[in-house]
Amino acid sequence: MHTILGANGVIARELSHALAAHASDIRQVSRNPRKVNLTDETFVADLLDAQATANAVAGSQVVYLVAGLQYNASVWQVQWPRVMRNAIDACKQHGARLMFFDNVYAYGRVDGVMTEETPFNPISRKGEVRARIATMLLDEMRSGNLQAMIVRSADFYGPGAIQSFPHATVFERLKAGKTPQWIGNPDAVHTFTYTPDAGRAVAELARSAEAYGQTWHLPTTREPLTGADFVRLACDLSGRPFKMQVAPRWMLKLMGLFMPVLRENDEMMYQFEYDYRFDSSKIESALGLQPTPYRQGISESLAK
């Protein structure tokens, strides 16, 4: 049994597709879980409830924590430690292995390339939460109490990844005949992980006994595209002339007074104002996985 805590999101969907090739039993867990594959089992549970989480994990060989919480720092501070604690305790109780799908917020601003060895140095409240819960899991791994791993992705994009930044600002606007938008510095490099690559890689890592006890960066192309390069390529693939709107920081701050999502994103703007380079050479070397080039990934994203 492979159990996905946090069903219905794009990562859960891509992972479910990838697991179906090797795992006959897949359990989708959330407050309102849906099947991805016809043979999937669904299990209703609130991950903030320790007993419900334990019940959801019972009988599992591998558990994938891919949940997403409301994008609010105050919510994260309260809820993420509880979700992580419940997942850890449930896996220990039932002898299951745990894979945690993480982001790069704990690294903070990195001058250079982010690798698995990059130390935690968060400069945001959300980054502090991610560092805290990742450390919780690392402590359990180091103590030998739990077989687990952390899999980490850069910002992502992909077909149907409606919560991703490029979906709303680039792909959907091009499909609607509108000018694509960007935030921050359009001349800064910003790498993105392609969601089908992430799903396939997590499924492969789960099958490797040697992969546990480690942190892994998921396959991500090394093509050093800036924001403007990304938009230019998307325009080219759409058969549109290159045009781009860039919202200045002061305008985003002003809009944030009325739009909570933008207000919550303000502390993360450093990711779009400075180079954001993510390295996945470790997994590429260990498992022979190659990331999808941007031209192919953007083309497939635009087609959905």
Side-chain angles (χ1 to χ4, degrees), residues 182-191 224-232 242 244 246 271-277:
W182 202 258
I183 59 173
N185 177 8
D187 296 320
V189 172
H190 196 101
T191 46
L225 263 62
T226 64
D229 293 333
F230 189 97
V231 173
R232 184 177 288 106
F242 170 60
M244 179 176 62
V246 180
Q271 295 186 115
F272 284 91
E273 292 170 340
Y274 304 95
D275 283 353
Y276 175 111
R277 298 174 184 267

Side-chain angles (χ1 to χ4, degrees), residues 77-97:
Q77 288 167 340
V78 173
Q79 295 188 359
W80 257 123
R82 287 174 59 188
V83 168
M84 178 59 77
R85 185 76 262 160
N86 290 346
I88 288 172
D89 290 347
C91 288
K92 289 167 67 175
Q93 178 182 340
H94 294 290
R97 300 196 291 267

Side-chain angles (χ1 to χ4, degrees), residues 30 41 50 61 64-65 75 94 124-125 161 179 186 191 203 208 237 283:
S30 74
E41 173 186 331
Q61 180 185 23
Y64 307 84
L65 180 56
V75 171
H94 294 290
S124 66
R125 291 183 299 161
T179 300
T191 46
S208 171
L237 290 168
I283 195 171

Side-chain angles (χ1 to χ4, degrees), residues 92-261:
K92 289 167 67 175
Q93 178 182 340
H94 294 290
R97 300 196 291 267
L98 177 61
M99 298 181 69
F100 172 45
F101 192 97
D102 198 10
N103 60 28
V104 301
Y105 288 9
Y107 294 150
R109 179 187 164 189
V110 178
D111 292 320
V113 179
M114 291 176 272
T115 73
E116 290 87 348
E117 303 303 317
T118 298
F120 293 167
N121 184 32
I123 59 172
S124 66
R125 291 183 299 161
K126 296 184 190 70
E128 289 170 354
V129 173
R130 299 303 286 212
R132 177 182 172 188
I133 61 173
T135 300
M136 287 172 61
L137 182 54
L138 287 168
D139 287 344
E140 295 284 350
M141 291 160 58
R142 290 166 183 149
S143 69
N145 292 329
L146 177 68
Q147 272 199 299
M149 72 175 82
I150 295 174
V151 295
R152 196 162 278 138
S153 166
D155 282 347
F156 55 74
Y157 78 107
I162 60 175
Q163 299 298 324
S164 68
F165 169 73
H167 176 82
T169 61
V170 181
F171 304 144
E172 288 301 292
R173 291 186 65 83
L174 281 171
K175 291 177 190 178
K178 299 178 181 178
T179 300
Q181 298 174 327
W182 202 258
I183 59 173
N185 177 8
D187 296 320
V189 172
H190 196 101
T191 46
F192 289 93
T193 302
Y194 188 52
T195 50
D197 289 349
R200 286 190 291 267
V202 173
E204 285 294 320
L205 284 167
R207 300 170 61 216
S208 171
E210 295 78 16
Y212 290 88
Q214 301 184 56
T215 295
W216 297 88
H217 278 188
L218 299 175
T220 302
T221 182
R222 300 179 194 177
E223 300 166 83
L225 263 62
T226 64
D229 293 333
F230 189 97
V231 173
R232 184 177 288 106
L233 180 53
C235 288
D236 178 57
L237 290 168
S238 299
R240 297 272 303 280
F242 170 60
K243 290 183 180 179
M244 179 176 62
Q245 298 172 346
V246 180
R249 183 69 181 271
W250 65 264
M251 182 181 293
L252 292 173
K253 281 184 173 290
L254 182 62
M255 293 168 66
L257 297 175
F258 309 98
M259 300 173 66
V261 172

